[in-house]
Amino acid sequence: MSPTTASSRIADLIQALAASHRSGLLLDATAWTDAVRDETDAYAVHDGVARALGWPATRWKSGGAGPQGPFSHSPVSPEPGAVLLGVEAEVALRLARDISPEAAQAPLDAGVIDGMCIAVECIASRWRQALDAPALLRMADFQSNAGLLLGPWQAWQPLDWARLPWRLTLADEPELQRQGGHSLGDPSGVLAAWLRHATRHGETVRAGTVVTTGAWGGVHRCTGRATGTLAIEGLGAFSFSAGA
């Protein structure tokens, strides 16, 4: 595929995904398998769709396979989706100050975070194949994000994340109880990689911007609507309801 054709396919996909967000009509992934060749293309789609939908750059998701990465990042929908496939139990962090591109390249100090809270990431898809769509197409679709629900904010403090008990209760499902399970061992482990990504085109990430930091225990499936309670020791409990 020539560079011109590749650029045209990305532009077409941006239009199609933005239209899907507006209408709720799903796209057939088999028609778009050539449109996203790598993560750079997926991130270009993120930028374009977020611009087309007028999303403010105030909520993000970030995560990694381990403390050394690889990491992935995407903007987050400002409103929860209507038809959900599942939820993820997470911890969100809030920036204490503006971070410029220059500051993002420097070592970060503990004062960069001014708050943390329980978070529930809503999961959905703009693909008919849902979570079975090809990985790069799922990545281009904001990593299957459909919004973020936030519990009460509290001051940041390091916790014994690896041994932290937590429980998730979803309507009509048995209560899930686990201990630890965050892939990085520490949710703040996403900050350096996320801030370098968010400032890569010269933008400053503003104080108060929120990033959710990766799933505890993977995706917890639901159909259409998610109602339940997430409790994490040291952060309290948060009851939530989203979807149609």
Side-chain angles (χ1 to χ4, degrees):
M1 188 186 300
S2 71
T4 300
T5 302
S7 178
S8 175
R9 287 293 281 162
I10 290 172
D12 290 345
L13 180 54
I14 288 169
Q15 259 191 332
L17 281 171
S20 179
H21 275 270
R22 295 187 185 104
S23 69
L25 298 176
L26 301 180
L27 305 175
D28 183 358
T30 62
W32 295 98
T33 52
D34 66 329
V36 183
R37 300 162 299 173
D38 53 29
E39 289 189 1
T40 299
D41 285 353
Y43 288 139
V45 174
H46 289 178
D47 293 344
V49 176
R51 263 195 314 272
L53 297 174
W55 288 0
T58 55
R59 289 192 176 189
W60 289 78
K61 63 177 289 183
S62 185
Q68 307 306 316
F71 296 93
S72 57
H73 325 275
S74 73
V76 164
S77 172
E79 297 293 336
V83 180
L84 305 184
L85 299 172
V87 295
E88 293 180 353
E90 306 210 2
V91 172
L93 306 177
R94 187 176 61 196
L95 284 186
R97 60 178 184 267
D98 292 356
I99 301 293
S100 67
E102 295 75 22
Q105 298 302 316
L108 299 174
D109 60 79
V112 73
I113 308 168
D114 82 341
M116 64 180 180
C117 71
I118 291 175
V120 174
E121 183 184 353
C122 300
I123 302 298
S125 180
R126 272 51 64 175
W127 303 113
R128 286 181 199 162
Q129 293 81 358
L131 301 183
D132 292 324
L136 282 171
L137 292 183
R138 286 185 280 115
M139 185 177 186
D141 183 30
F142 298 115
Q143 300 180 77
S144 303
N145 174 263
L148 186 63
L149 309 175
L150 301 175
W153 288 101
Q154 56 185 278
W156 162 255
Q157 59 174 318
L159 298 173
D160 188 2
W161 302 105
R163 291 188 287 186
L164 211 61
W166 59 277
R167 58 182 174 81
L168 174 67
T169 305
L170 291 172
D172 304 319
E173 296 289 337
E175 182 177 80
L176 176 70
Q177 297 189 39
R178 293 192 181 172
Q179 188 174 45
H182 193 276
S183 62
L184 305 184
D186 179 348
S188 68
V190 304
L191 288 174
W194 164 60
L195 288 168
R196 288 194 295 269
H197 173 83
T199 59
R200 71 196 188 285
H201 296 315
E203 301 93 338
T204 291
V205 183
R206 298 301 177 188
T209 298
V210 172
V211 60
T212 193
T213 56
W216 296 65
V219 177
H220 308 283
R221 300 281 186 143
C222 63
T223 303
R225 183 172 185 80
T227 301
T229 300
L230 174 61
I232 303 178
E233 188 170 293
L235 286 88
F238 168 51
S239 295
F240 59 89
S241 184

